[in-house]
Amino acid sequence: MKIGFIGLGVMGNPMAQNLQRSGRHELRVFDIDPQRGDELERLGARRAASIGEAIEQAEVVMTSLPGPRQIEAVGLGADGLLARMQPGSVWIDLSTNDLPVAAKIRQAAQAAGVDILDAPVSGGDEGARAGNLVILVGGEPAVFERYRGVLEIIGERIDLLGPHGAGYAAKIAQVVLCYLHSLALSEALMLGVKGGVAPRQMLDIIQHSTGRSYVADRYGPPILNGDYDPSFTLGLAHKDMKLAGEMAHSLGIRLPMCELTTATYARAVEAYGFDANHLKAVRLLEEDNDTYLQA
């Protein structure tokens, strides 16, 4: 199939590379930063100069974008995806989106005769590179089955969860644990270190206790080495938490721990900037306690 892929960031680039390396499809790619397409072009993908060129005659359009504002602008603008895509083609959105924008997409796609799947991914940049992402899908079963093979190139566990929007909802619900766990991990480390335990020893104890988690294993080391993990930005982490808060508000529920986590990430963005490494939120705790966890 002819695939147009839009958005070649930390997650989009390795996903697009896996599609190209599979040799199964003809791939055109676009990003507002043209240099992000360098490696894909070397692999044989065609680098487009515009979104319109990337999706020309595409049977499948895939997007990996920062959030709802970008999804709406790229998808629903006067020259956006749905104004250009062929009837009968499919838009597979791999981004994290909110439910109001999802509803707008669904309505516009129906009017344009375009199928849609929301397919946000989980597993981090390492999962994107390895092609073993978890893909949380919302959409029509027949559409899902038609394009399952494309998703299997970039993911290992692929779940159809319900109608359009279900994938977005699941992604927002599960991603809050990553950020909440990161802050909880830092507090556990701080408590142990201030009590006299060496940082690496305290992390090792956590990693072999009932408190063990992916976050402890994956993000504990970058806290201790002081680079705060460059794979994701603080601003995008805060964006994810705000999406969770907005979703909770729309559903009429109160999530106190999410509210506290969102406020902490907001404070961190203000202190260190949108593009700081996402675990820089931990630095707030370190500065507040005049103790750094670097081992």
Side-chain angles (χ1 to χ4, degrees):
M1 289 185 284
K2 294 181 178 179
I3 298 177
F5 198 106
I6 314 298
L8 304 174
V10 171
M11 297 295 290
N13 205 310
M15 288 191 283
Q17 288 189 30
N18 284 333
L19 288 167
Q20 180 60 31
R21 286 192 178 101
S22 76
R24 302 181 201 172
H25 306 289
E26 179 184 331
L27 189 66
R28 293 186 186 185
V29 300
F30 174 79
D31 192 277
I32 56 174
D33 180 356
Q35 292 184 343
R36 291 179 175 175
D38 289 350
E39 180 61 24
L40 279 152
E41 193 169 46
R42 283 192 287 271
L43 291 172
R46 177 174 171 180
R47 177 165 38 186
S50 66
I51 290 177
E53 182 183 342
I55 69 172
E56 184 179 0
Q57 297 183 334
E59 299 156 80
V60 178
V61 173
M62 304 179 80
T63 49
S64 180
L65 300 169
R69 181 170 59 84
Q70 293 84 0
I71 296 166
E72 185 170 8
V74 168
L76 303 181
D79 293 320
L81 298 180
L82 292 176
R84 294 171 175 265
M85 290 176 65
Q86 304 176 89
S89 60
V90 66
W91 175 9
I92 302 175
D93 182 35
L94 306 161
S95 321
T96 303
N97 195 7
D98 65 24
L99 300 186
V101 172
K104 292 180 184 179
I105 288 172
R106 180 169 59 247
Q107 183 177 12
Q110 289 174 344
V114 171
D115 291 321
I116 48 172
L117 292 173
D118 52 286
V121 299
S122 181
D125 61 311
E126 66 271 27
R129 291 193 298 272
N132 60 9
L133 292 164
V134 174
I135 307 179
L136 307 167
V137 186
E140 294 298 322
V143 177
F144 171 70
E145 291 299 333
R146 193 178 312 141
Y147 299 103
R148 179 197 284 268
V150 174
L151 296 175
E152 287 174 343
I153 297 171
I154 62 172
E156 186 171 77
R157 174 173 176 172
I158 304 162
D159 293 329
L160 178 63
L161 303 173
H164 180 62
Y168 291 141
K171 173 61 187 291
I172 293 169
Q174 63 86 32
V175 79
V176 300
L177 283 173
C178 176
Y179 308 121
L180 196 154
H181 280 183
S182 295
L183 298 183
L185 172 64
S186 70
E187 292 193 1
L189 288 168
M190 182 62 69
L191 190 62
V193 168
K194 292 291 277 187
V197 184
R200 292 197 185 280
Q201 189 173 18
M202 191 65 232
L203 177 60
D204 184 68
I205 291 166
I206 292 169
Q207 291 173 322
H208 292 87
S209 73
T210 55
R212 182 180 183 180
S213 67
Y214 170 88
V215 167
D217 291 343
R218 173 67 175 82
Y219 297 139
I223 291 173
L224 297 195
N225 71 25
D227 76 1
Y228 300 105
D229 187 37
S231 70
F232 201 63
T233 70
L234 190 58
L236 289 177
H238 180 228
K239 178 267 300 179
D240 285 345
M241 288 306 306
K242 287 196 297 181
L243 288 178
E246 290 163 4
M247 180 174 163
H249 178 74
S250 71
L251 296 172
I253 58 177
R254 177 95 191 277
L255 302 174
M257 294 302 296
C258 286
E259 292 171 10
L260 182 59
T261 301
T262 303
T264 301
Y265 274 85
R267 183 179 157 214
V269 170
E270 184 177 354
Y272 310 120
F274 186 98
D275 293 325
N277 295 349
H278 71 105
L279 290 173
K280 207 71 178 283
V282 173
R283 187 67 174 262
L284 293 174
L285 179 71
E286 295 175 320
E287 292 177 351
D288 287 348
N289 289 281
D290 196 28
T291 300
Y292 296 90
L293 297 170
Q294 283 78 53

